Amino acid sequence: MTQTFDTITSKDCYVRVASVADVRAAGGVLVHVDKYAIALFYSDNKIYAIDNRCPHMGFPLHGSTCKDGIVTCPWHYARFDLASGGTFDSWADDVRAFRVEIRDSEVWVNLASQVDPFVHQRQRLQDGLEQGISLVIAKSVIALLDMGADSIEPFRIGLEFGTRYNKEGWSTGLTIHTCMMNLLPYLDAEDRPLALYQGLSAVARDSGSAPPHFVVHPLPNSNVDLTTLKNWFRQFIERRDSEAAERCIISAIHMGAEKTQIADMLFAAATDHRFIDVGHVLDFINKALEALDAVNWQQAEQVLASLISGLANASRMEESNSWRYPVDLVAILESAFDELPDALKEGQSRQGSWSNREQLIPILLGENAQAIADALLTALREGCTEEQLASVVSYAAALRVARFHTNNDFGDWDTAHHPFTFANAVHQGLRRVASLELLRGVFDAAMSVYLNRFLNVPPARLPEPKDLVENPDELLHRLPDLLDRQQQVNEVGRLVAHYLYGGGEPERLMAVLGKLMLRENRDFHVIQEIEAAFRQYSLLGHTPDGIHVLIAASRYLAAHSPTMRSQAQTYDMAHRLHKGDRLFEDGD
């Protein structure tokens, strides 16, 4: 009896594994060769060889039911074609099949791979996204990175999928996906695949059963200037006309508009109204631009088009009572915006000499909205740059979280959180393009901080500097235990402060905070908070302000701990399967 595959492999590595008689007599035999456990099956007068581990969750296939050339795993009933290893159940993945030859009544198996593993894992990642199967996503990410793929590769696949298939356009899933990509440099190497997996899983959740979005065509043979396109774009967003606005942004791309010009169009429309959608929309725009930076602005049309619906349909704070009564914040802001051009012009020659950051902070945290607007204008006149102003407002917003009193309602954590992530997005945006329109977002952020002053009444005490600690890492070892218990907000804040003031390494702390975030089924806001805090710390450096930002993030993390940990459990299963752990075999 001679049996071969139709396809000729480029590399042969045949080894003898059993006699034909033994396999025929038993119907199936388990053999171990090198690092492989191979299940041999006798069916229809042929012998087949497949990996003994079910690719779904590692259950041994030896002894499984074999009928009509199909083997069925007895655990979750995944079915596989014996000849090719192909599965009939997409959640299970294909099992590895080995080419078999019969030589002198002996079974020889070719250990050489029959498929391109990189191509296979890229396709499996796509399958996982399409089917919303977290285990498949985790296994493919781990495998791709282990084969040497850059983290950009799975990120790009998720970005392309999430912007094409999404009911609401750019939303929380894609933001989580980009936050995770931004967090990779802060994480331990072992946690980076887990971060990518969680971001991709968030994309899959948002995109489930969504139809594709077909990007509109640019204006045909148009020679309209960019200023006109920008004005049209803002008008269409004002009228909530998504399709027309999308055509403007796509036309700008085809006209060869610079990246900063595209950003300026989006940021201008996002700040034509006050604090739209409690800051989410501007943060989404910033994250989409950061995502495009990561992939070198590939897929720009699809990514930018995904922003338009949310931008056009967002709620506007002009319609909110809290921004109109008892103090008309909108009127205060509109008056301040009229003065912005002159304030910038007056301060331009003095830029580089502004040093009143410490004096501005208590005003931003104060009780007088008009005084806040006046102080921001004064800072610009004194030479404060747009980026510096955004930085100090971001810090003030972080202080609201750092000083959040635990007697407040739990839901008010998010009330304090939104101004901080919005202010961070404005800050990052102004670092990209010094836009007069976007500068309005700094004032919006300052007013949202003002509105939340009640959350710091009384203020939680900021931990004071402590003496140097002989072994700061001992403090970090206590952090996971604290986050295993509820209501440890102040204790965690004190530990983080003690660690940082005591000489601990901020990079190590951020890696641990990232690890503890990833072990939970984190919601959108927690991931936003951690990512924004790390970005702000990277700009502030190891200063008291930078330390306060990390204290704020750690307190917010503690307030939302512990949670379910099913995502990490799924990832751990995928990781153990990838390592080849024999999870369910006898003796394990």
Side-chain angles (χ1 to χ4, degrees), residues 407-469:
N407 286 340
N408 288 306
D409 184 78
F410 180 78
D412 280 332
W413 277 106
D414 287 344
T415 305
H417 156 84
H418 287 132
F420 173 55
T421 50
F422 173 78
N424 172 68
V426 173
H427 186 192
Q428 303 300 334
L430 284 168
R431 295 179 69 228
R432 181 184 298 274
V433 53
S435 157
L436 176 64
E437 290 91 354
L438 180 55
L439 184 56
R440 297 176 300 185
V442 177
F443 286 71
D444 287 350
M447 288 304 159
S448 65
V449 171
Y450 159 80
L451 284 170
N452 292 339
R453 61 198 183 283
F454 71 94
L455 298 176
N456 295 156
V457 180
R461 288 184 56 188
L462 286 173
E464 297 293 330
K466 299 292 184 180
D467 296 331
L468 287 175
V469 179

Side-chain angles (χ1 to χ4, degrees), residues 97-117:
F98 299 87
R99 292 167 58 85
V100 174
E101 287 188 1
I102 307 303
R103 304 174 183 174
D104 299 328
S105 299
E106 301 288 343
V107 181
W108 290 70
V109 172
N110 188 354
L111 301 182
S113 177
Q114 308 298 308
V115 298
D116 183 330

Side-chain angles (χ1 to χ4, degrees), residues 2 21-22 62 67 143 152 176 178 183 193 201 205 221 292 301 370 374 410 422 425 468 485 511 544 562:
T2 301
D22 288 343
H62 171 60
K67 183 179 180 181
I152 292 295
I176 291 172
T178 308
L183 285 170
S201 295
R205 286 195 299 271
N221 303 315
L292 285 175
E301 292 183 19
Q370 184 64 61
D374 292 342
F410 180 78
F422 173 78
L468 287 175
R485 307 197 301 272

